[in-house]
Amino acid sequence: MLIDLKKCIGCDYCVYACQAINDVPDDMRWNVHFVDKTETGNVFHITRPCMHCQDAPCVSVCPVVATYVREDGIVIMDYDRCIGCRYCQVACPYGARTFNWESRDGASGYQAQWGAAEVERRARGVVEKCTFCVHRIDRGLANGLVPGVDRAATPACVNICPVEARVFGDLKNPDSKISRLIATQPTFRLREDLGAEPNVYYIPPEGMSL
Amino acid sequence: MSTASQPIETTRGAGASLPIFPIWLGILGIMLVIGLVSAAFVLIEGLEVTNLSNEVPWGLWITIDLAAIALGAGAFSLSAIAYILRVKSYERIARVAVFVGLTGYTSAMLALVMDIGRPDRFWHPTVYWNIHSVLWEITMCVIFYSMVLGIEFGPLVLESNLVKSRFKAGPRIAHQLHRLTPVVAIVGLGLSLLHQSSLGATYGVLVARPIWFKPSLPVMFIVSAVAAGAMFTLAMTVFYETLRRERVITLQLRNSVAAFGGLTMLAYLYLKLWDYLATTYYSHLPARIDDLNLLARTTPYSSSFWLVEVLLGALVPAVILLSPRLRRFDAWVIVAGVAGRGRDHRQPLERDALWVDRAAGLVAGRGGGLPHQQLSTRAGRVGRGDWRAGLCLDDVHAGVALPATLPG
């Protein structure tokens, strides 16, 4: 995924769409938004989904392989295997994981406005995280769609963005839109120094030099 | 002064008439009831009742689990001295240590079952292996080591009058188990060295948590566990002697174990000193310094480090146990054992979690994964709920700053 901080206006649509489609309550958001300032004083908005790291710290610490990196690079959870030790939560450098401290009644509350939930609610006692809407990707690929091009095979946060700040696609394919953008634009990733090889790239906002 | 199995000369006139043992059993009973009620509460209501949060996913709880495992350290180190180095006189205290270890490990396992979100899946690590996970290695070690403790403890049960009278083959099986003791002690030593160290590595490998991320943690954990394990076993022995009003170990053995515990604690302090100097005084990893500064600014972190951990938790017990004058007194030996135990190396982690909790999510269970004056004011403003954003702010700062410093 590529997030263009030059374009992001901080509308929070991606946050809400994610909460609707994945049925995520407010205190467990998978995708968060915050405001920051560049060194030159420019205010900018940034959103943070799971980074889907290729050398993910959360994956290597899990004692039961309840979370893993798929061949296509997406990091997902097996909610039926997770024992709820929360080591992955402690290990994630980005705070991208949340734990189900209690069982939840009712939906997250965003469905009426932002779309029906497409995945099952997670049980009490397991960790959960952003999946890049993997259910859409898998169903889409099975039907010959291209994730990032066909909306039915694209994450909810990407589809909803009114300014097209989020670009999704296959980083392994050099001809995909996302690969071409990364090849031509200056981009950075969060905490590259940690060596986790995150798969979410950012185009810096105005006033930030790389 | 006294030899094995001799009555203690009572010097406490009034206390002597009190039925101390039944009173102690009563206290234990009350604590057991409180524990059972709390356990039921957690299992029914879920971890929500612990006040842990997504900002502090690991808190005091995990510290208690780990501390209970350190109890077992006495079992492996004292057993190794008794059965591998064949220091006969240590066999008496090794038996106590095995019992203390067994209670420590069983309570740790029970506490861990409470501490995971899905207690019904506690067996998953035995089936779904992730050999890259320190936590998996610990889980397997703890399971196997509990078996070792069972084999070591079995003969004591089988030879007891209660079992002997009902189960004729008991003593024979006990004898066979006894013959295994040296082998079992070696296996136990290996398993203990592994997991007592990797408990430290659990924190030490977390690259994203700069206060914890260092190769010294596994070493400090094993040394502090050996020290605290011996000290605590000795304290429990002396406590038991006080309850029963009879000596079970000789003064010579008592002095020897006390010196062993005290000296190991001094070795630990030496490591701790260099750990502190190397990571805090002589080097300046920005993320680590920022975290420590934030902790120092918002919590009593510095004073608790020097006063509670170094002075009260390590130096005082070491002095008591190494001083022939002080270690003569039962009370001092018990104080030293409990203080040293309370300290061992888990405490800094506990403090991280605890202070961090008090700092209202500023540094968050990130154990100090955090930083920044700017961040803390901001986090303070948006409050705990949105704190997660705080972490990311830091990531952005680092993420933005780093490419700037890289050539090309």
Side-chain angles (χ1 to χ4, degrees):
Chain A
M1 183 178 287
L2 174 69
I3 303 176
D4 189 342
L5 302 182
K6 281 194 177 73
K7 288 184 179 168
C8 180
I9 54 172
C11 65
D12 276 344
Y13 283 16
C14 58
V15 176
Y16 303 143
C18 168
Q19 287 187 262
I21 273 52
N22 293 299
D23 199 5
V24 183
D26 283 341
D27 57 352
M28 293 179 67
R29 285 176 178 167
W30 292 356
N31 178 43
V32 294
H33 159 223
F34 45 94
V35 185
D36 202 4
K37 236 191 270 185
T38 63
E39 275 173 22
T40 55
N42 267 11
V43 173
F44 68 93
H45 299 274
I46 178 165
T47 55
R48 192 235 59 218
C50 167
M51 299 286 122
H52 294 271
C53 309
Q54 291 319 277
D55 203 352
C58 58
V59 168
S60 57
V61 300
C62 177
V64 296
V65 205
T67 186
Y68 50 94
V69 186
R70 302 202 326 171
E71 287 231 327
D72 58 7
I74 297 176
V75 178
I76 57 165
M77 287 273 314
D78 182 343
Y79 300 121
D80 293 332
R81 189 181 283 194
C82 175
I83 59 170
C85 70
R86 311 184 293 290
Y87 196 12
C88 56
Q89 217 182 342
V90 178
C92 175
Y94 306 101
R97 286 169 168 266
T98 55
F99 181 71
N100 287 279
W101 297 99
E102 50 189 320
S103 29
R104 290 192 276 131
D105 302 316
S108 66
Y110 291 87
Q111 281 76 9
Q113 205 179 339
W114 304 92
E118 293 171 8
V119 293
E120 206 183 346
R121 186 174 306 143
R122 280 68 57 193
R124 183 184 94 186
V126 299
V127 169
E128 61 180 60
K129 67 180 284 295
C130 156
T131 64
F132 270 174
C133 288
V134 73
H135 57 284
R136 291 188 177 189
I137 294 172
D138 285 348
R139 205 185 312 132
L141 287 173
N143 291 315
L145 304 180
V146 181
V149 178
D150 298 299
R151 290 175 62 83
T154 303
C157 57
V158 177
N159 284 346
I160 199 82
C161 183
V163 293
E164 294 183 348
R166 286 190 174 212
V167 180
F168 187 76
D170 187 0
L171 285 171
K172 288 177 179 164
N173 175 3
D175 294 326
S176 64
K177 182 181 175 194
I178 186 169
S179 296
R180 275 185 280 122
L181 279 170
I182 291 171
T184 53
Q185 299 254 17
T187 57
F188 70 90
R189 297 180 292 175
L190 300 181
R191 296 304 306 265
E192 283 184 82
D193 56 317
L194 298 178
E197 297 298 328
N199 263 340
V200 174
Y201 291 76
Y202 289 92
I203 293 179
E206 303 289 349
M208 182 189 291
S209 51
L210 291 185
Chain B
M1 200 164 63
S2 326
T3 53
S5 297
Q6 277 197 356
I8 298 176
E9 307 151 37
T10 312
T11 48
R12 302 164 291 266
S17 57
L18 279 174
I20 306 179
F21 198 57
I23 291 177
W24 175 243
L25 287 182
I27 296 173
L28 281 184
I30 293 170
M31 294 201 295
L32 193 65
V33 170
I34 295 175
L36 286 174
V37 171
S38 313
F41 190 48
V42 169
L43 291 177
I44 294 167
E45 295 290 319
L47 289 172
E48 183 198 5
V49 302
T50 60
N51 248 349
L52 291 169
S53 65
N54 284 326
E55 285 74 38
V56 189
W58 277 6
L60 277 174
W61 277 53
I62 196 99
T63 312
I64 294 166
D65 303 340
L66 302 190
I69 285 180
L71 296 174
F76 92 84
S77 57
L78 298 175
S79 293
I81 295 175
Y83 303 118
I84 301 176
L85 301 181
R86 296 196 183 276
V87 181
K88 272 262 178 244
S89 59
Y90 266 66
E91 282 184 16
R92 244 187 133 73
I93 198 154
R95 289 181 158 210
V96 182
V98 166
F99 176 69
V100 173
L102 199 59
T103 46
Y105 274 80
T106 38
S107 55
M109 285 193 288
L110 286 172
L112 276 172
V113 167
M114 304 282 144
D115 196 23
I116 59 177
R118 296 297 302 248
D120 53 317
R121 297 178 184 163
F122 74 92
W123 51 274
H124 275 196
T126 61
V127 179
Y128 307 113
W129 293 15
N130 181 5
I131 57 169
H132 295 293
S133 168
V134 185
L135 207 53
W136 176 81
E137 186 256 331
I138 291 171
T139 311
M140 299 303 274
C141 269
V142 166
I143 291 170
F144 284 123
Y145 189 60
S146 302
M147 294 177 191
V148 165
L149 286 173
I151 294 173
E152 287 185 329
F153 189 66
L156 295 183
V157 178
L158 290 170
E159 282 169 351
S160 70
N161 289 328
L162 201 69
V163 175
K164 238 188 336 199
S165 57
R166 287 171 179 75
F167 182 50
K168 288 270 176 308
R172 230 173 340 128
I173 300 173
H175 182 70
Q176 294 300 322
L177 286 177
H178 254 313
R179 290 180 49 193
L180 284 177
T181 304
V183 180
V184 172
I186 289 172
V187 174
L189 179 68
L191 288 169
S192 289
L193 285 174
L194 265 177
H195 72 260
Q196 295 281 2
S197 312
S198 43
L199 279 170
T202 305
Y203 300 87
V205 299
L206 297 177
V207 65
R209 311 277 160 245
I211 294 184
W212 291 343
F213 181 61
K214 48 190 177 187
S216 58
L217 273 186
V219 182
M220 292 203 297
F221 261 62
I222 184 74
V223 176
S224 74
V226 169
M231 289 161 74
F232 188 71
T233 303
L234 186 63
M236 286 301 101
T237 309
V238 173
F239 181 66
Y240 174 79
E241 289 178 338
T242 311
L243 285 182
R244 301 304 301 261
R245 298 206 180 88
E246 60 174 358
R247 293 288 175 206
V248 295
I249 58 168
T250 62
L251 185 62
Q252 201 188 6
L253 177 56
R254 171 172 167 162
N255 285 339
S256 171
V257 177
F260 172 69
L263 287 173
T264 317
M265 188 60 92
L266 286 185
Y268 167 75
L269 271 176
Y270 180 75
L271 287 178
K272 184 79 189 163
L273 172 73
W274 273 101
D275 178 71
Y276 169 77
L277 291 176
T279 60
T280 314
Y281 184 75
Y282 285 124
S283 73
H284 299 277
L285 187 68
R288 186 181 290 139
I289 300 296
D290 282 352
D291 285 7
L292 288 171
N293 281 343
L294 182 55
L295 276 176
R297 208 168 43 241
T298 53
T299 68
Y301 188 81
S302 303
S303 55
S304 75
F305 174 79
W306 292 110
L307 290 178
V308 181
E309 193 188 341
V310 174
L311 190 67
L312 205 63
L315 209 51
V316 167
V319 168
I320 291 174
L321 292 180
L322 290 173
S323 152
R325 218 146 50 99
L326 289 177
R327 71 185 177 209
R328 274 214 319 258
F329 296 99
D330 290 353
W332 279 116
V333 174
I334 296 173
V335 165
V338 173
R341 153 94 237 88
R343 192 217 89 267
D344 78 62
H345 195 71
R346 278 97 221 177
Q347 196 172 341
L349 307 165
E350 172 183 338
R351 273 180 324 153
D352 284 357
L354 185 66
W355 294 156
V356 148
D357 205 10
R358 296 245 171 94
L362 283 190
V363 193
R366 308 304 173 184
L370 259 252
H372 278 253
Q373 176 90 52
Q374 187 194 7
L375 172 61
S376 40
T377 53
R378 221 178 277 200
R381 208 170 56 229
V382 295
R384 266 193 99 141
D386 286 342
W387 186 81
R388 180 167 313 282
L391 180 72
C392 309
L393 275 184
D394 173 50
D395 297 330
V396 174
H397 286 301
V400 169
L402 196 87
T405 60
L406 291 176

